[in-house]
Amino acid sequence: MSVPDSIGAPQTDTRRIRTRQRKEDIASKAAQIFARDGYANVGMRDIADAVGIKGASLYHHFPSKEDILFAVCLTVTQEPAETNLPLLDAPGTPTERLSSLVRAHLVHLNSRRVEYIVGLHELASLTTEHRAVIEDFRRQYQRRVRDVVTAGMRTGEFTVADARTAAFAVTDMLNGISNWFHDDGEMSIDDVADTYVDLAVHRLLGAPQ
């Protein structure tokens, strides 16, 4: 007897959500282990033990350790591209849109700080195909920032001479907080975001206060 769509669809959606959440949990835990012990020194059994599942269950979600690393890297490339870049298409001036991106970028990076560090140091461990996907998301992000900088130069809001170099400088500045920021420090991530909007958008790009 077939299950009516009205009953089967919600159940299917629930299973899909649970599966996605489980994969995210595995990738998050694996990132912590990769950051602590190094990708090369971690085995699938180590990850399974850390997550609290059997090895067979782990392989059900990820065929290989490299696939887990790829998932980790996507959280700091595909994820911010999908969540942050729409801010650059929102209403407002280039200064306003880029300021929103700076804030969102820092908040997201802070939430994924361990994953970012792993992606930075272990990128070479990805297959050529997976590495190309990651690099494509990075180029997309960089290109969209450059486009808004260019728009700001045309309106006279930004005083920099070269949009491409300026975009690299902005994103490098933002990504750099992974090296020093901690939630238990003197500044909150919102405080850092306020400071970085001033540094990146107003001082580096030359937008008026």
Side-chain angles (χ1 to χ4, degrees):
M1 180 178 179
S2 61
V3 179
D5 291 340
S6 59
I7 297 177
Q11 293 177 341
T12 300
D13 290 342
T14 299
R15 285 195 298 269
R16 187 179 298 113
I17 292 171
R18 288 177 178 173
T19 297
R20 183 174 66 247
Q21 184 61 57
R22 175 54 102 181
K23 294 185 70 170
E24 291 176 357
D25 291 343
I26 292 171
S28 178
K29 179 60 69 174
Q32 296 175 30
I33 303 173
F34 293 157
R36 184 191 66 201
D37 300 334
Y39 175 77
N41 300 319
V42 176
M44 290 290 274
R45 181 180 295 276
D46 298 319
I47 298 172
D49 290 343
V51 178
I53 61 177
K54 295 181 179 180
S57 297
L58 179 60
Y59 280 102
H60 172 74
H61 293 291
F62 291 100
S64 69
K65 185 178 69 167
E66 193 273 343
D67 282 295
I68 299 177
L69 177 61
F70 180 51
V72 170
C73 292
L74 285 175
T75 65
V76 290
T77 51
Q78 180 181 16
E79 193 172 276
E82 293 176 346
T83 59
N84 297 346
L85 291 185
L87 295 171
L88 298 181
D89 297 318
T93 65
T95 296
E96 291 169 338
R97 289 181 281 138
L98 199 55
S99 295
S100 296
L101 179 85
V102 167
R103 295 181 187 281
H105 187 102
L106 293 177
V107 170
H108 178 270
L109 190 151
N110 183 51
S111 70
R112 295 293 196 184
R113 187 167 60 247
V114 174
E115 288 89 341
Y116 178 81
I117 292 173
V118 170
L120 183 66
H121 292 290
E122 305 293 356
L123 183 65
S125 298
L126 291 175
T127 64
T128 302
E129 292 77 13
H130 282 168
R131 191 160 59 250
V133 172
I134 297 302
E135 293 293 355
D136 186 59
F137 278 119
R138 288 180 173 175
R139 284 192 294 269
Q140 176 191 1
Y141 203 95
Q142 193 74 40
R143 183 171 60 251
R144 293 291 287 112
V145 172
R146 183 193 65 205
D147 289 345
V148 177
V149 173
T150 300
M153 292 168 63
R154 288 172 179 166
T155 63
E157 295 173 53
F158 301 151
T159 60
V160 290
D162 183 77
R164 182 172 181 270
T165 302
F168 278 124
V170 169
T171 52
D172 283 350
M173 178 188 296
L174 301 182
N175 291 335
I177 74 161
S178 64
N179 295 318
W180 62 268
F181 180 78
H182 296 283
D183 289 318
D184 57 355
E186 295 181 357
M187 300 178 68
S188 70
I189 190 62
D190 291 330
D191 293 332
V192 174
D194 288 339
T195 301
Y196 269 55
V197 166
D198 179 57
L199 291 174
V201 181
H202 297 289
R203 298 180 185 274
L204 192 156
L205 297 179
Q209 295 287 344

